[in-house]
């Protein structure tokens, strides 16, 4: 079982930056793929970014086209955290951002409650 708690959301003007964090409980954090998703009112949940894991400790990053070049995902296995650095924010980035953990980047078994990000124009 993994429990996830997101933080770092807020209100920012277009062009600004926010840094989201997801703190995970559990001793096996390093063996989970981690991802960020977002859901805007009236819309489906959509993939934002993900980071894999491997026995060697290396990881790969994946991004939605809409955020590529603006967002960066990273993980700190020693601190059980995954971070999403969001730069050059746009009003269309406004959504609840959720953190997920799972066996691979294509499949998630655990979810956090989400943190609201609002970008004003």
């Amino acid at each position: 079982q993994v429990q996830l708690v997101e933080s770092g959301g807020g209100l920012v003007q277009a062009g600004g930056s926010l840094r989201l964090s997801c703190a995970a409980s559990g001793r096996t954090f390093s063996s989970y793929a981690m991802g960020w998703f977002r859901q805007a009112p009236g819309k489906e949940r959509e993939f934002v970014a993900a980071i894999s894991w491997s026995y060697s400790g290396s990881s790969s990053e994946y991004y939605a086209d809409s955020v590529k070049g603006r967002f960066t995902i990273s993980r700190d296995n020693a601190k059980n955290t995954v971070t999403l650095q969001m730069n050059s924010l746009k009003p269309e980035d406004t959504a609840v951002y959720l953190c997920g953990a799972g066996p691979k980047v294509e499949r998630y078994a655990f979810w956090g409650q989400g943190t609201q990000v609002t970008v004003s124009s």
Side-chain angles (χ1 to χ4, degrees), residues 94-115:
T94 295
V96 174
Y97 283 70
L98 303 106
C99 174
K104 47 186 174 181
V105 294
E106 298 89 352
R107 186 152 54 98
Y108 296 87
F110 306 103
W111 294 94
Q113 294 296 312
T115 185

Side-chain angles (χ1 to χ4, degrees), residues 41-115:
K43 294 189 176 181
E44 302 261 330
R45 183 178 296 185
E46 66 171 350
F47 168 76
V48 175
I51 187 164
S52 65
W53 72 279
S54 72
Y55 287 110
S56 67
S58 63
S59 59
S60 298
E61 301 166 21
Y62 306 86
Y63 297 95
D65 288 343
S66 59
V67 307
K68 205 170 291 183
R70 299 188 298 124
F71 291 11
T72 302
I73 189 171
S74 60
R75 66 188 298 161
D76 186 335
N77 291 334
K79 295 182 179 179
N80 281 12
T81 58
V82 61
T83 299
L84 185 69
Q85 177 66 44
M86 307 187 295
N87 299 327
S88 302
L89 283 161
K90 305 175 181 180
E92 50 263 43
D93 294 319
T94 295
V96 174
Y97 283 70
L98 303 106
C99 174
K104 47 186 174 181
V105 294
E106 298 89 352
R107 186 152 54 98
Y108 296 87
F110 306 103
W111 294 94
Q113 294 296 312
T115 185

